[in-house]
Amino acid sequence: MKSLAERPENPVVGVAVAHEHGAEHATGAALYTDDLIVRHQNVLHAWPLQAPHAHARVMSLDVAPALEVPGVARVLTAEDVPGINDAGIKEDEPLFPREVMFHGHAVCWVLGESLEAARLGAEAIDVEYEPLPSLITLTEAIAAGSFQGREPTVSRGDVETGLTNGTHRFSGEFEFGGQEHFYLETHASFAYVDEGGQVFVQCSTQHPSETQEIVARVLGLDNHDVTVQCLRMGGGFGGKEMQPHGFAAIAALGATLTGRPVRLRLTRNQDITITGKRHPYHASWEVSFDEDGRLQALRATVTSDGGWSLDLSEPVMQRTLCHIDNAYWIPNVEVHGRVAKTNKTSQTAFRGFGGPQGMLVIEEILGRYAPLLGLDPTELRARNLYVSGQSTPYGQPVRHAERLAEIWGQVHQRADVRGRRRDIEDFNATHPDTRRALAVTPVKFGISFNLTAFNQAGALVHVYRDGSVLINHGGTEMGQGLHTKMRQVAATALGVPLETVRLAPTRTDKVPNTSATAASSGADLNGGAVKNACEQIRDRLADVAARKFNIHPDDVRFVDGTVT
């Protein structure tokens, strides 16, 4: 932390300011990806042909009837792909599949003069399927041994001894489902080819650089031939970290083949049936406690439902294993993770990224066995909280752990948990058909990416001769106010008023090779990049000013747009 003497004068960071486009959001003037088509003529609209089977082989695909439908311009199939027919970062997601892997899987896309023409064209396509056996539930996949990707393990201590020597030993299992992101703006991409042959894609994506990479791969182009821009998103929550790439590739493929702009926006029904969700999980465990109810050992196997392809299932599982201890000391741990392969949508990133699923396992254990230990669940949790000097199962020291017990006590006191529970017991005693309950749980929240290389960002800052500033950075705006914060960082670092700083949309030809805006790291990483870029410029300006004023550069000050 900087001392007061080192902090900038009149900082803009930390000042309460309105979202830079708050007024436009409130009035409906803010443009999103699908709004941008109004600026273009001869736009084609894309519509998918979705398979009615959870698992099937495509035996034949006759698109000729679709081309006879008025307004249908083209049908995109695997034969049209000049590059690699795959939209997955693991190259396990055929863009135009020969084998249907989930109900609603898009086998081809129709381009029409209108959305209705494209829809009618898709209905006219003659396709023959051979249904195949499918695995729909997570338990079916486990029983069938249907897994994909790596199977990581987190371990510490001697679990067998800890289980054997524990005063109380239990085993159990449970299963819980996923969630739909339900962002207000469904997946949307808009692509065209400019006069220089550059493929330009407007996309609602949390990861423009990866979208660029996948589009280029499908088209058989170099990355520099493709530019991806994200003006803003109407919500993401992780659902637009990996899943937009294929839709952007479809729009870009259509634009390159027809020479016309192509718009692809999923309906809500299509978005729900085609795109991934939060991973459902199954967990089984053995656990032991000592005579005082303190955890001694945990052996568990957690299995996520990854759907038909890997997507981000491997890092999601890694984070699950890193959160299964939550806020509790478990001296002996052995937790195995695995990703099931099922005939469902490919599950993907979702707020918490596997962390909530891991924490839910230990919370279920404590809540389930507290009565068998003769303890109140709240007391059982309090006894097992981390204390300073301990470490997580993956070796990270737990610092300032005394705050856990302090906060735990304050929450229960200020929320009058004991009084509320008395009221709940009275209510439940007189309402046989309605029940109330109250739960208090700690949460370990992990920030940034498990893979250290992803914890980086870039920025491009222009200072013009009139003193105005234009900044670009690699983060994407999805309503969280990231762009507003970046303007504040630039204004503070350069010592200029906020109104002199403007921010340009996120695009890959300005800041390349970026990480996704995810893991609650957007402001930290991109703010650091903007700050670094601004400080380099300010230091060079200070050298110029120092020569002009005949002083040392360290004596130059930039405050409120004035150099002194």
Side-chain angles (χ1 to χ4, degrees):
M1 180 178 293
K2 284 189 174 184
S3 67
L4 290 176
E6 294 175 303
R7 293 178 184 176
E9 297 181 49
N10 301 331
V12 185
V13 169
V15 176
V17 298
H19 190 292
E20 65 163 358
H21 291 299
E24 289 87 347
H25 290 160
T27 60
L31 297 178
Y32 293 82
T33 297
D34 199 50
D35 298 320
L36 301 174
I37 65 172
V38 298
R39 300 179 179 179
H40 296 264
Q41 296 178 333
N42 301 318
V43 174
L44 292 173
H45 305 261
W47 188 275
L49 172 60
Q50 295 182 260
H53 302 283
H55 191 199
R57 187 174 290 111
V58 179
M59 303 303 293
S60 64
L61 184 68
D62 184 7
V63 303
L67 299 175
E68 296 176 3
V69 175
V72 171
R74 183 151 187 163
V75 180
L76 302 178
T77 66
E79 287 68 28
D80 294 314
V81 176
I84 298 175
N85 178 33
D86 197 281
I89 198 65
K90 296 283 187 178
E91 296 193 23
D92 61 348
E93 297 183 25
L95 191 59
F96 298 98
R98 305 286 188 185
E99 182 180 353
V100 171
M101 295 301 292
F102 62 93
H103 190 280
H105 204 164
V107 296
C108 65
W109 291 77
V110 179
L111 305 181
E113 302 290 343
S114 67
L115 199 59
E116 180 65 5
R119 185 187 70 81
L120 293 174
E123 286 188 355
I125 293 174
D126 185 13
V127 57
E128 180 184 353
Y129 300 99
E130 178 191 354
L132 300 171
S134 59
L135 296 171
I136 302 302
T137 69
L138 185 49
T139 49
E140 285 176 343
I142 293 173
S146 177
F147 303 108
Q148 56 184 328
R150 300 187 299 272
E151 297 187 4
T153 298
V154 169
S155 63
R156 172 179 61 193
D158 186 341
V159 171
E160 188 58 44
T161 300
L163 290 171
T164 301
N165 294 342
T167 307
H168 307 278
R169 182 171 180 174
F170 306 103
S171 62
E173 63 177 334
F174 83 135
E175 186 176 353
F176 47 98
Q179 290 172 289
E180 165 64 38
H181 302 86
F182 213 82
Y183 24 67
L184 291 181
E185 177 204 27
T186 59
H187 277 276
S189 290
F190 177 61
Y192 61 89
V193 183
D194 66 18
E195 70 281 357
Q198 177 86 356
V199 179
F200 192 86
V201 182
Q202 300 272 4
C203 186
S204 184
T205 174
Q206 292 175 237
H207 200 172
S209 289
E210 202 164 76
T211 301
Q212 174 195 33
E213 182 177 344
I214 297 299
V215 170
R217 192 173 74 191
V218 170
L219 298 181
L221 300 174
D222 294 324
N223 284 5
H224 67 208
D225 294 318
V226 177
T227 298
V228 174
Q229 174 171 294
C230 179
L231 184 60
R232 60 172 60 84
M233 283 172 278
F237 315 112
K240 295 176 180 176
E241 186 173 345
M242 286 280 287
Q243 305 263 314
H245 309 336
F247 306 124
I250 293 293
L253 177 63
T256 56
L257 293 176
T258 65
R260 296 173 60 180
V262 172
R263 166 239 191 185
L264 187 159
R265 182 183 67 82
L266 300 184
T267 66
R268 181 62 65 185
N269 186 68
Q270 290 166 346
D271 200 292
I272 290 176
T273 56
I274 295 177
T275 67
K277 329 294 176 192
R278 185 191 292 281
H279 291 72
Y281 269 66
H282 176 276
S284 60
W285 63 78
E286 291 182 277
V287 64
S288 67
F289 298 83
D290 67 13
E291 64 277 4
D292 294 322
R294 290 183 171 82
L295 286 159
Q296 296 302 297
L298 171 66
R299 175 186 287 143
T301 297
V302 289
T303 308
S304 68
D305 185 343
W308 74 284
S309 67
L310 273 174
D311 194 275
L312 287 165
S313 294
E314 289 176 318
V316 166
M317 176 55 69
Q318 290 167 1
R319 188 168 286 274
T320 294
L321 299 190
C322 290
H323 283 250
I324 200 166
D325 58 314
N326 197 12
Y328 309 111
W329 165 249
I330 312 174
N332 304 288
V333 178
E334 181 185 305
V335 184
H336 304 276
R338 56 190 181 180
V339 180
K341 186 171 185 176
T342 60
N343 295 112
K344 290 195 284 193
T345 55
S346 183
Q347 315 314 348
T348 190
F350 200 120
R351 288 294 297 156
F353 203 78
Q357 291 96 317
M359 291 184 287
L360 189 55
V361 173
I362 191 64
E363 293 299 335
E364 165 71 9
I365 288 171
L366 295 177
R368 179 183 295 194
Y369 299 127
L372 301 181
L373 294 169
L375 293 170
D376 179 84
T378 297
E379 175 59 27
L380 181 60
R381 288 181 169 90
R383 290 187 186 186
N384 284 283
L385 291 173
Y386 274 117
V387 299
S388 293
Q390 294 173 340
S391 63
T392 66
Y394 46 90
Q396 182 173 355
V398 178
R399 297 180 298 165
H400 313 299
E402 63 277 0
R403 296 176 183 173
L404 268 175
E406 181 181 352
I407 293 171
W408 185 259
Q410 288 181 4
V411 166
H412 281 75
Q413 179 183 2
R414 294 179 183 180
D416 188 22
V417 171
R418 184 173 299 175
R420 291 187 182 193
R421 285 190 169 144
R422 284 197 301 267
D423 294 341
I424 288 170
E425 290 174 1
D426 294 341
F427 178 89
N428 290 342
T430 56
H431 293 75
D433 300 321
T434 308
R435 288 290 184 268
R436 291 178 177 173
L438 177 66
V440 184
T441 60
V443 170
K444 175 168 72 170
F445 189 78
I447 292 176
S448 81
F449 298 94
N450 278 25
L451 184 60
T452 305
F454 288 163
N455 295 316
Q456 55 86 28
L460 175 65
V461 177
H462 299 300
V463 176
Y464 296 96
R465 288 169 60 88
D466 63 354
S468 61
V469 179
L470 178 68
I471 61 174
N472 291 88
H473 65 91
T476 54
E477 176 65 54
M478 57 194 94
Q480 81 277 40
L482 176 63
H483 288 346
T484 305
K485 297 172 190 173
M486 297 305 97
R487 292 178 60 229
Q488 288 181 289
V489 169
T492 301
L494 290 172
V496 298
L498 182 62
E499 58 270 18
T500 66
V501 181
R502 179 173 170 267
L503 190 139
T506 306
R507 50 190 285 173
T508 56
D509 61 347
K510 295 297 185 289
V511 181
N513 307 322
T514 59
S515 296
T517 304
S520 300
S521 64
D524 290 335
L525 296 180
N526 293 285
V530 170
K531 177 175 178 290
N532 181 276
C534 289
E535 288 176 345
Q536 289 186 50
I537 294 171
R538 188 194 62 202
D539 290 345
R540 293 199 293 268
L541 291 173
D543 287 337
V544 175
R547 290 194 295 271
K548 181 178 179 63
F549 298 146
N550 196 28
I551 59 174
H552 193 277
D554 290 347
D555 294 327
V556 177
R557 296 289 180 269
F558 299 84
V559 181
D560 295 331
T562 301
V563 183
T564 58

